[in-house]
Each structure stands twice: as structure tokens, then as C-alpha cells.
Amino acid sequence: MVLAAKLVDALKAIVGAENVLTDAFDLSLYDADAETLDTASPDLVVLPASTEEVAAVVKAVATLAPTLPVTARGAGTGLSGGATCVRGGLSLVLTRMNKVLHVDAAERAALVQVGATNVSVSRQAEPHGLYFAPDPSSQIASTIGGNIAENAGGPHTLKYGMTTHHVLALRGVNARGEVVAVGGFNRGGLDLTGVVIGSEGTLMVVTEALLRLTPLAAKVETLLAYFPTVRQCGQAVSDIVAQGVVPAAMEMIDNLTLNAVEDYLGLGLRRDAQALLIIELDGVEAGIACARAIVEKCLHENGLLESRWAKNARERADIWKARKTSFGALGRIAPHGYVLDGVIPRSRLAEAIEGIAKIGERHGLTIANVYHAGDGNLHPCMLYHREDQAEVARVISAGREILHLCVELGGTLSGEHGIGVEKLMEMESAFGPRDLEFMGLIKTSLDPDGRLNPGKVLPQLKTCGESGARPLLRHQQLSC
Ligand SMILES: Cc1cc2nc3c(=O)[nH]c(=O)nc-3n(C[C@H](O)[C@H](O)[C@H](O)COP(=O)(O)OP(=O)(O)OC[C@H]3O[C@@H](n4cnc5c(N)ncnc54)[C@H](O)[C@@H]3O)c2cc1C
């Protein structure tokens, strides 16, 4: 797209010339998120520093180039292509807006700019005995804006819930470039905070958030357990929850992944185990002692090979390192990994795992598995070589089959990574036409020209004509 010089000049006047990128090399750095199967370069990148600048940028686009898409972007760690400018346009990068503005210990709340990283919020809250509970494994890099847009979860979602359970209010910019606010302490009105959270940048650009902070637990205990089969490990997870214990986290990795982690870090993990389970209990001493007895009983009844409770903070950190480096460690097996994000009912974990293995065999693919086992959120990671086009095609087909399997088992398409462009074609397998229409009505009423992050989440929106469409890569056949 040839950009009007008038628009570029107007944007430079708003954010400063150094914060408007149009050079082809610079643009190529923003052509994907962490889901690298779908790439598309933006036409320009703009890095604003305040809510007012964001509003002025969106207003300038609406006035001078009304069909130009605007796609918000945080750290670009998304795993569904959400921040990728599949229809070109303006990539609005919010990482300069990275301040934790205020921590209110009495109200247990923090006011932050959306470019602040997830971990920076907890760091600033810690001296007050508080933290921000959603903890995606990407928390060192991912931004609060990205967490809100994707309704991010993490290992501790099982007990503490998703991002949506920890956001009190939002301020941001609508598709017309006006500053709007939703939510707040007991303000009443429609609960639009929940509508915006998880909307993947398609309804508004969020610029500031008022976050709920959670008191740090009095005591935390972390367990590492090994099982001879994935099925037995999955059953132990189901039994623990059925017994009424809700651990802070229950995370599982398979034999392939644990061996990759052991090759990488040499933590002394047991290589012959088919499944490694991490369980974290938190709360007050008496409650933990009671939960610990139930957990140990469930593990032993399901063929436990071996287990150990962390004796100190260092051992606890090592246990979590095994989980949090899983995807990185898989890079030792193949240069590229495509991480899926299906959800199934916890009780059908074993069936899902066996089904995924069969899909992998049928397509001749190596699939490693990492699970937020407690809440039935699966992350099969297909290992591949991007230059091998036939293998890439098999990865995409197998990915679709795995998502369909999750839906067939009574689950859904995404636990935390969002739909983005990656799962657009699968939406109709999980939602009926009326459900999609209902969502579409919200989108079209808030963004009638389809300016904000077009080509994401909702498959049948106006499609090509709306915004100078360019073909979607692997989704070309969808709409145009
Ligand atoms: C190694 C690794 C581990 C991960 N682990 C987890 C995990 O445990 N749990 C989990 O939930 N996710 C996880 N993710 C996925 C990813 O980190 C999350 O989705 C995260 O919330 C994305 O944040 P981001 O700042 O990188 O957003 P981006 O990738 O930049 O953007 C994601 C989406 O948010 C929109 N967006 C960004 N900022 C705004 C804004 N201010 N206003 C409106 N829309 C906006 C974008 O348009 C896009 O649709 C992981 C990713 C990696 C690479």
C-alpha cells in the first residue's frame, strides 16, 4: 500500500519522527508474533507514549486513511498471530507506555500503563505483600495490554483464575480515536470490561488498566512427581480435584519434553518417567498439611514412581525452571515449534493425549506435550523445520485435527492464547451461526468500519472489502 505522505507527516507530528517506522527492514521486525507460521508486514509502525498520543494516532488514521487497519501490539509474544497485521496497515506498538503508575496497597490495586510487563507489576507490588496473580510463562516479556487482550492465563490459573478475574477497569481509545473508560470500583452500568478483555484488540486499544492485586500466600509448597504413564498422571490430577483439593497449580510435561529439559539444564530429572507432574499448594499451614495428605494419597493410588517436595526456595525455583523452560528446551530437537492451545474437560485428558499421539503418528510429526493439567488446557508442540514446506503443511493439518479433537471431547479452541488468525477457520466448529452473529454485532457496533485488528477472531465479518485486504497466508481460502 502506498501511504499518503500527509498521514505519515501527521503521525510524525503526534509521536515524533523517530517513533514512526516505514523502512522495509524495520517493518520486517514486526511481521509476526511468536506464532511464526503466519507472517505479514505492516505498512508502518507507530510507537506512542501516552493515551492522548494513541487517541490522536487513531483519529488521524480515521480521518486521513479510513480504510487503513490499526493493530495494537505489545511484546509480540502472542501464540495465535493476534498482533500480526494480516491485512497490512498500522502496527501500534505500546511498549513505550510501560509504567506502573501507582500501587494502592489499601485497595489492593495497581494502575498501570499497558506496555508494562506482567512481571513488573508483581515486582512493584511485592513490597506491599501483594502480587498480580495471572502469571503467563511469558511474564518476563509479555505486556499487561497483551495479557488483557488475550485474557492470559498461566500455571496458577487453576486456583486464581484468568486475567479477566483480576482487572477492575480499563481506559483506552475506540475506533474513532476517542478516549473511553470501562469498569471501575462499583460504578455500575454495563460490564464492558469483560467484553473488552479477550477481544484481541478488535474492540478498542487499551492504554491503562486498574488491576486487582492479590496478597502473597503465607506458605507455598511445591512437589515434583513422576509417573510411568501419562494416563495415570492425568487420572491423579482428576482425582485430586475430585477430592476437593484445588492446588495453586498442577502442571504436567511428557517424556520427550522432560528429556529435552534435562539435556538443557541437567536438573537431575528422572528420564524414564513418561510424565512429570508439578503440584503447588498455597495458603495457611494447617490447610496445606491437610491438602498434602490428600494429594499424596491420590498420587500413590495412580502408580506414582517417585516424588519430592521442594525443601527450600532454590529447589522450588528449580522445579518451576523445568516447566518454564519447556518450550525453549524443545528447540534442541527441532528449530521450530508450533504450540497449540486446546482445552478439554479434565476427565478426558488421557483420551486427548492418546488422540494427539495418533494424529502425530498419522502425519509423521514429533509432538511434545506440556499441559496446564489442572484446568484441562493442553499445549501440544509440533516440532518442525520451516524450510520443509511439506512438513509445514502437515503441521497445519495436524493442528486443525487436534483442535477438532478438543471440541469433539467437549472442550474448546483456546484456553489462553486466543483465536487470532491461527484458529479463525476453526471458530465455526466451536460456535453456532447465532453465537458468531451475536459476537459480530458487538464488533460492528463498536468498530463499524472494521478498522481495529481486522481478520482476527471472527471469521465471517465483512472480510475483504473492509480494509484494503491482502490475502491471509494459510487462511487464503477462507474468505477472499
Ligand atoms: C514462551 C511463551 C510462553 C507463553 N506462556 C503463556 C501462558 O502461560 N499463558 C498465556 O496465556 N499465554 C502465554 N503465552 C502467549 C503470550 O505470551 C500471551 O498471549 C500474552 O498475553 C501476549 O502478550 P504480548 O504483550 O506479547 O501481546 P502481543 O503478542 O503483542 O499481542 C497479543 C494480542 O493482544 C492485542 N493487544 C496487545 N496490546 C493491546 C492493547 N494495549 N490494546 C488492545 N489490544 C492489544 C494484539 O492486537 C494481539 O491481538 C506464551 C508465549 C510464549 C512465547
PDB file of all heavy atoms in Angstrom, residues 187-202:
ATOM      1  N   ARG A 187     -18.972   1.074  39.816  1.00  0.00           N
ATOM      2  CA  ARG A 187     -19.554   2.196  39.076  1.00  0.00           C
ATOM      3  C   ARG A 187     -20.888   1.847  38.437  1.00  0.00           C
ATOM      4  O   ARG A 187     -21.603   2.706  37.951  1.00  0.00           O
ATOM      5  CB  ARG A 187     -18.588   2.649  37.979  1.00  0.00           C
ATOM      6  CG  ARG A 187     -17.424   3.461  38.534  1.00  0.00           C
ATOM      7  CD  ARG A 187     -16.908   4.474  37.559  1.00  0.00           C
ATOM      8  NE  ARG A 187     -16.758   3.963  36.202  1.00  0.00           N
ATOM      9  CZ  ARG A 187     -16.582   4.742  35.151  1.00  0.00           C
ATOM     10  NH1 ARG A 187     -16.551   6.039  35.306  1.00  0.00           N
ATOM     11  NH2 ARG A 187     -16.429   4.233  33.960  1.00  0.00           N
ATOM     12  N   GLY A 188     -21.205   0.570  38.390  1.00  0.00           N
ATOM     13  CA  GLY A 188     -22.461   0.166  37.759  1.00  0.00           C
ATOM     14  C   GLY A 188     -22.390   0.271  36.243  1.00  0.00           C
ATOM     15  O   GLY A 188     -21.301   0.322  35.666  1.00  0.00           O
ATOM     16  N   GLY A 189     -23.544   0.314  35.584  1.00  0.00           N
ATOM     17  CA  GLY A 189     -23.566   0.340  34.115  1.00  0.00           C
ATOM     18  C   GLY A 189     -23.302  -1.043  33.554  1.00  0.00           C
ATOM     19  O   GLY A 189     -23.176  -2.022  34.282  1.00  0.00           O
ATOM     20  N   LEU A 190     -23.215  -1.131  32.226  1.00  0.00           N
ATOM     21  CA  LEU A 190     -22.935  -2.422  31.591  1.00  0.00           C
ATOM     22  C   LEU A 190     -21.516  -2.852  31.934  1.00  0.00           C
ATOM     23  O   LEU A 190     -20.602  -2.025  31.975  1.00  0.00           O
ATOM     24  CB  LEU A 190     -23.067  -2.302  30.066  1.00  0.00           C
ATOM     25  CG  LEU A 190     -24.441  -1.957  29.500  1.00  0.00           C
ATOM     26  CD1 LEU A 190     -24.397  -1.977  27.970  1.00  0.00           C
ATOM     27  CD2 LEU A 190     -25.499  -2.941  30.004  1.00  0.00           C
ATOM     28  N   ASP A 191     -21.328  -4.146  32.165  1.00  0.00           N
ATOM     29  CA  ASP A 191     -19.989  -4.645  32.481  1.00  0.00           C
ATOM     30  C   ASP A 191     -19.212  -4.858  31.177  1.00  0.00           C
ATOM     31  O   ASP A 191     -19.135  -5.961  30.643  1.00  0.00           O
ATOM     32  CB  ASP A 191     -20.082  -5.951  33.269  1.00  0.00           C
ATOM     33  CG  ASP A 191     -18.695  -6.487  33.582  1.00  0.00           C
ATOM     34  OD1 ASP A 191     -17.710  -5.769  33.334  1.00  0.00           O
ATOM     35  OD2 ASP A 191     -18.596  -7.637  34.055  1.00  0.00           O
ATOM     36  N   LEU A 192     -18.682  -3.763  30.659  1.00  0.00           N
ATOM     37  CA  LEU A 192     -17.975  -3.865  29.371  1.00  0.00           C
ATOM     38  C   LEU A 192     -16.523  -4.290  29.534  1.00  0.00           C
ATOM     39  O   LEU A 192     -15.855  -4.622  28.549  1.00  0.00           O
ATOM     40  CB  LEU A 192     -18.057  -2.521  28.632  1.00  0.00           C
ATOM     41  CG  LEU A 192     -19.477  -2.116  28.217  1.00  0.00           C
ATOM     42  CD1 LEU A 192     -19.457  -0.791  27.470  1.00  0.00           C
ATOM     43  CD2 LEU A 192     -20.130  -3.199  27.364  1.00  0.00           C
ATOM     44  N   THR A 193     -16.041  -4.281  30.786  1.00  0.00           N
ATOM     45  CA  THR A 193     -14.654  -4.711  30.985  1.00  0.00           C
ATOM     46  C   THR A 193     -14.492  -6.145  30.474  1.00  0.00           C
ATOM     47  O   THR A 193     -13.549  -6.466  29.754  1.00  0.00           O
ATOM     48  CB  THR A 193     -14.291  -4.643  32.482  1.00  0.00           C
ATOM     49  OG1 THR A 193     -14.865  -3.467  33.028  1.00  0.00           O
ATOM     50  CG2 THR A 193     -12.800  -4.625  32.691  1.00  0.00           C
ATOM     51  N   GLY A 194     -15.476  -6.979  30.854  1.00  0.00           N
ATOM     52  CA  GLY A 194     -15.413  -8.378  30.428  1.00  0.00           C
ATOM     53  C   GLY A 194     -15.545  -8.545  28.919  1.00  0.00           C
ATOM     54  O   GLY A 194     -15.051  -9.516  28.361  1.00  0.00           O
ATOM     55  N   VAL A 195     -16.203  -7.607  28.264  1.00  0.00           N
ATOM     56  CA  VAL A 195     -16.338  -7.683  26.801  1.00  0.00           C
ATOM     57  C   VAL A 195     -14.996  -7.356  26.135  1.00  0.00           C
ATOM     58  O   VAL A 195     -14.564  -8.019  25.185  1.00  0.00           O
ATOM     59  CB  VAL A 195     -17.433  -6.708  26.296  1.00  0.00           C
ATOM     60  CG1 VAL A 195     -17.478  -6.673  24.775  1.00  0.00           C
ATOM     61  CG2 VAL A 195     -18.786  -7.105  26.853  1.00  0.00           C
ATOM     62  N   VAL A 196     -14.315  -6.357  26.691  1.00  0.00           N
ATOM     63  CA  VAL A 196     -13.045  -5.932  26.071  1.00  0.00           C
ATOM     64  C   VAL A 196     -11.937  -6.964  26.346  1.00  0.00           C
ATOM     65  O   VAL A 196     -11.130  -7.278  25.463  1.00  0.00           O
ATOM     66  CB  VAL A 196     -12.639  -4.538  26.595  1.00  0.00           C
ATOM     67  CG1 VAL A 196     -11.243  -4.156  26.106  1.00  0.00           C
ATOM     68  CG2 VAL A 196     -13.655  -3.495  26.141  1.00  0.00           C
ATOM     69  N   ILE A 197     -11.945  -7.528  27.572  1.00  0.00           N
ATOM     70  CA  ILE A 197     -10.889  -8.500  27.901  1.00  0.00           C
ATOM     71  C   ILE A 197     -11.079  -9.749  27.036  1.00  0.00           C
ATOM     72  O   ILE A 197     -12.176 -10.304  26.959  1.00  0.00           O
ATOM     73  CB  ILE A 197     -10.932  -8.862  29.405  1.00  0.00           C
ATOM     74  CG1 ILE A 197     -10.619  -7.618  30.235  1.00  0.00           C
ATOM     75  CG2 ILE A 197      -9.925  -9.978  29.722  1.00  0.00           C
ATOM     76  CD1 ILE A 197     -10.899  -7.770  31.705  1.00  0.00           C
ATOM     77  N   GLY A 198     -10.031 -10.154  26.373  1.00  0.00           N
ATOM     78  CA  GLY A 198     -10.117 -11.318  25.487  1.00  0.00           C
ATOM     79  C   GLY A 198     -10.575 -10.966  24.083  1.00  0.00           C
ATOM     80  O   GLY A 198     -10.746 -11.851  23.248  1.00  0.00           O
ATOM     81  N   SER A 199     -10.777  -9.663  23.792  1.00  0.00           N
ATOM     82  CA  SER A 199     -11.270  -9.307  22.456  1.00  0.00           C
ATOM     83  C   SER A 199     -10.117  -9.074  21.465  1.00  0.00           C
ATOM     84  O   SER A 199     -10.341  -8.686  20.326  1.00  0.00           O
ATOM     85  CB  SER A 199     -12.180  -8.078  22.519  1.00  0.00           C
ATOM     86  OG  SER A 199     -11.450  -6.953  22.937  1.00  0.00           O
ATOM     87  N   GLU A 200      -8.896  -9.323  21.894  1.00  0.00           N
ATOM     88  CA  GLU A 200      -7.736  -9.384  20.994  1.00  0.00           C
ATOM     89  C   GLU A 200      -7.534  -8.107  20.175  1.00  0.00           C
ATOM     90  O   GLU A 200      -7.194  -8.163  18.997  1.00  0.00           O
ATOM     91  CB  GLU A 200      -7.823 -10.622  20.087  1.00  0.00           C
ATOM     92  CG  GLU A 200      -7.995 -11.909  20.890  1.00  0.00           C
ATOM     93  CD  GLU A 200      -7.886 -13.181  20.064  1.00  0.00           C
ATOM     94  OE1 GLU A 200      -7.279 -13.133  18.988  1.00  0.00           O
ATOM     95  OE2 GLU A 200      -8.393 -14.218  20.514  1.00  0.00           O
ATOM     96  N   GLY A 201      -7.798  -6.986  20.798  1.00  0.00           N
ATOM     97  CA  GLY A 201      -7.534  -5.717  20.117  1.00  0.00           C
ATOM     98  C   GLY A 201      -8.525  -5.385  19.027  1.00  0.00           C
ATOM     99  O   GLY A 201      -8.283  -4.492  18.216  1.00  0.00           O
ATOM    100  N   THR A 202      -9.669  -6.089  18.989  1.00  0.00           N
ATOM    101  CA  THR A 202     -10.634  -5.839  17.913  1.00  0.00           C
ATOM    102  C   THR A 202     -11.714  -4.831  18.308  1.00  0.00           C
ATOM    103  O   THR A 202     -12.494  -4.405  17.453  1.00  0.00           O
ATOM    104  CB  THR A 202     -11.341  -7.147  17.475  1.00  0.00           C
ATOM    105  OG1 THR A 202     -12.038  -7.684  18.602  1.00  0.00           O
ATOM    106  CG2 THR A 202     -10.358  -8.178  16.954  1.00  0.00           C
TER     107      THR A 202
END
